[in-house]
Amino acid sequence: MLLYVDAQYASPYAMSVFVGLKEKNISFDMQTLDLGAGANHMPDYAVTSLTQRVPTLIEGDFSLSESSAITEYLDEIHAGVALYPAAPKAKARARQIQAWLRSDLLPIRQERSTEVLFYRPSDAPLSIAAGQAAQKLFDAADRLLAPGREHLFDTWCIADVDLALMLNRLVLNGDAVPVRLADYAKRQWERASVQAWVNLARPPL
């Protein structure tokens, strides 16, 4: 398999797929694209990636983009660590969490970009809009994470990575985060597959 990712290894969506491949113990190669230079819109890649985005996974003559579609595909065709819960309602909830984190909370993503996670923190305070988005994140995460539970569900799943990443945009920047949620995010960040992505050698910005 070949996985296309961004040149800075900073895409949260590429990270999610990378972690999924590592958890499944699937052998794969990576190729980077300079998104700032528009490499994802070049004709060759546009033919390869339907959405012209990263990540895109290539397997023989099959290509698939959009991270949650890729991790669902990997879970269906490969044995090993499950990326999603088996129970239908729990699996639906995990998909809901992924879709929500990818489509909402824009002020957090704008003011606490993934540069905070992989390069340097921001010294700008959160705007009112970002503060409101953060509170919405905390309220939802608090409801989702049962007291005393280490993961969203009975065992780890890929949605834990996505939720921890969103929380860590704030935690690793030094912003105020409820202790229980900060501890959860830090635990998820210590997972070996996550650390494999965190510790990739990144080019300077």
Side-chain angles (χ1 to χ4, degrees):
M1 288 188 174
L2 173 64
L3 179 65
Y4 282 94
V5 302
D6 60 302
Q8 278 70 43
Y9 303 115
S11 165
Y13 315 117
M15 174 181 168
S16 188
V17 173
F18 176 95
V19 168
L21 287 162
K22 288 288 187 180
E23 291 286 342
K24 288 289 189 183
N25 199 27
I26 299 170
S27 177
F28 66 100
D29 295 316
M30 275 200 306
Q31 186 162 331
T32 61
L33 291 175
D34 185 348
L35 302 185
N40 53 310
H41 300 304
M42 297 299 290
D44 287 350
Y45 189 69
V47 170
T48 299
S49 175
L50 183 67
T51 58
Q52 300 180 34
R53 305 205 297 183
V54 296
T56 290
L57 184 72
I58 309 296
E59 183 183 28
D61 60 358
F62 177 66
S63 66
L64 187 64
S65 53
E66 302 307 306
S67 58
S68 58
I70 297 172
T71 50
E72 287 181 37
Y73 171 70
L74 294 175
D75 214 27
E76 289 175 356
I77 66 167
H78 285 277
V81 173
L83 302 183
Y84 291 89
K89 289 181 180 178
K91 187 173 185 178
R93 182 70 73 203
R95 288 168 165 168
Q96 178 192 29
I97 292 166
Q98 287 189 299
W100 173 56
L101 293 171
R102 284 156 172 72
S103 61
D104 199 0
L105 309 174
L106 180 60
I108 298 176
R109 288 186 276 127
Q110 289 176 327
E111 298 180 30
R112 298 293 183 260
S113 75
T114 50
E115 288 182 18
V116 163
L117 302 172
F118 306 120
Y119 282 95
R120 55 176 181 263
S122 169
D123 57 6
L126 291 173
S127 67
I128 293 174
Q132 291 171 339
Q135 189 58 56
K136 181 179 181 180
L137 172 64
F138 301 155
D139 290 345
D142 190 62
R143 289 178 60 190
L144 289 164
L145 190 64
R149 180 177 278 174
E150 291 190 2
H151 310 296
L152 288 166
F153 305 98
D154 291 336
T155 59
W156 175 90
C157 80
I158 198 68
D160 283 301
V161 175
D162 296 331
L163 180 57
L165 187 147
M166 185 61 79
L167 288 166
N168 272 330
R169 291 174 185 265
L170 303 165
V171 173
L172 297 180
N173 199 68
D175 297 306
V177 176
V179 172
R180 189 172 82 94
L181 301 181
D183 288 345
Y184 160 79
K186 289 175 181 176
R187 282 196 307 271
Q188 297 299 328
W189 213 242
E190 291 167 357
R191 196 172 180 89
S193 56
V194 173
Q195 282 296 300
W197 176 268
V198 171
N199 292 323
L200 289 171
R202 291 176 170 79
L205 290 174

